[in-house]
Amino acid sequence: SQQGEEDPQALSIQEGENATMNCSYKTSINNLQWYRQNSGRGLVHLILIRSNEREKHSGRLRVTLDTSKKSSSLLITASRAADTASYFCATGVSNTGNQFYFGTGTSLTVIP
Amino acid sequence: KAGVTQTPRYLIKTRGQQVTLSCSPISGHRSVSWYQQTPGQGLQFLFEYFSETQRNKGNFPGRFSGRQFSNSRSEMNVSTLELGDSALYLCASSWGRGADTQYFGPGTRLTVL
């Protein structure tokens, strides 16, 4: 399977703490994206990092990419109850368009 | 701008029937991708359409097909439905300039009885 795997599968933290999720994948990629999904609804795009980038920031989010280890991490700082959701990484493998393989997801619960 | 819209939101069919799902992308977006989400298999890529042509395809049987119209709206069809086709079907649109940020619709929940 080309799907990536997120680790941990589930994470429970207190509001205000940081949350770190990891994603490992198997094939060479062009880019990697992180998405959030609330309770089986549509996915919300968080951040895109290209294969020649090592780190990107967006607000309270920090994403790193290590192509030599085929892994990425998503850090959410100062978490809020509203961050409770499932988080997915998606690896982009196509040179010509959008063909993304999603990981298994990390379920994050932020306790108020 | 309006977001990605999908119709219908919920659908119940019986085995052997066929179904057509519709997706309207964000205005100006030319790429539409389709994904199937199930508890067991997670999110799986079905196919991507760009300028009315299928540009990328995942590993799904031929019962799953799609098309895109000149206004970038896309339809996905599943023929001879099986129980295992019960899933949330998500479409995503993007500008289409190579691999770029995708914006997802709310999905169509298909139940096959």
Side-chain angles (χ1 to χ4, degrees):
Chain A
S1 167
Q2 291 175 283
Q3 280 184 309
E5 282 190 16
E6 278 94 340
D7 171 62
Q9 286 189 331
L11 181 61
S12 183
I13 59 174
Q14 295 289 329
E15 201 166 34
E17 294 181 335
N18 295 342
T20 299
M21 289 158 265
N22 301 297
C23 168
S24 60
Y25 56 90
K26 298 176 182 177
T27 63
S28 295
I29 64 171
N30 292 318
N31 63 76
L32 185 146
Q33 302 191 35
W34 284 90
Y35 288 86
R36 183 185 76 226
Q37 185 179 38
N38 292 85
S39 301
R41 295 164 64 181
L43 282 81
V44 174
H45 177 263
L46 297 176
I47 200 163
L48 179 153
I49 186 166
R50 301 197 183 278
S51 59
N52 60 354
E53 297 174 309
R54 291 296 167 257
E55 186 172 314
K56 283 190 84 168
H57 296 255
S58 177
R60 294 184 295 112
L61 306 179
R62 172 178 168 253
V63 168
T64 62
L65 178 64
D66 187 335
T67 52
S68 66
K69 295 181 179 178
K70 291 187 169 56
S71 67
S72 173
S73 68
L74 170 67
L75 168 67
I76 304 173
T77 60
S79 63
R80 306 165 181 168
D83 295 328
T84 294
S86 292
Y87 291 82
F88 296 89
C89 68
T91 50
V93 301
S94 172
N95 290 320
T96 58
N98 293 308
Q99 183 170 3
F100 288 92
Y101 290 93
F102 279 77
T104 49
T106 291
S107 177
L108 173 66
T109 301
V110 181
I111 303 166
Chain B
K1 268 187 184 177
V4 178
T5 58
Q6 291 186 245
T7 56
R9 292 292 311 278
Y10 301 91
L11 205 49
I12 299 175
K13 292 285 187 178
T14 56
R15 277 181 300 174
Q17 287 186 309
Q18 75 165 14
V19 66
T20 299
L21 312 181
S22 180
C23 173
S24 293
I26 291 171
S27 178
H29 285 188
R30 296 168 64 190
S31 166
V32 174
S33 299
W34 288 89
Y35 293 84
Q36 180 196 65
Q37 186 175 28
T38 60
Q41 298 297 318
L43 275 151
Q44 296 189 86
F45 172 77
L46 280 155
F47 30 65
E48 180 210 13
Y49 284 87
F50 177 78
S51 292
E52 303 178 64
T53 301
Q54 188 179 85
R55 183 161 67 174
N56 288 290
K57 187 177 187 304
N59 295 322
F60 275 80
R63 298 187 299 108
F64 292 82
S65 63
R67 60 178 176 169
Q68 187 179 35
F69 301 95
S70 58
N71 62 357
S72 294
R73 189 177 70 85
S74 176
E75 289 182 345
M76 191 193 96
N77 186 75
V78 187
S79 63
T80 319
L81 284 166
E82 301 176 0
L83 295 178
D85 297 333
S86 294
L88 180 67
Y89 289 89
L90 295 159
C91 85
S93 77
S94 71
W95 292 107
R97 301 164 301 190
D100 55 0
T101 299
Q102 295 184 104
Y103 296 87
F104 280 79
T108 294
R109 174 76 63 184
L110 171 64
T111 302
V112 182
L113 303 176

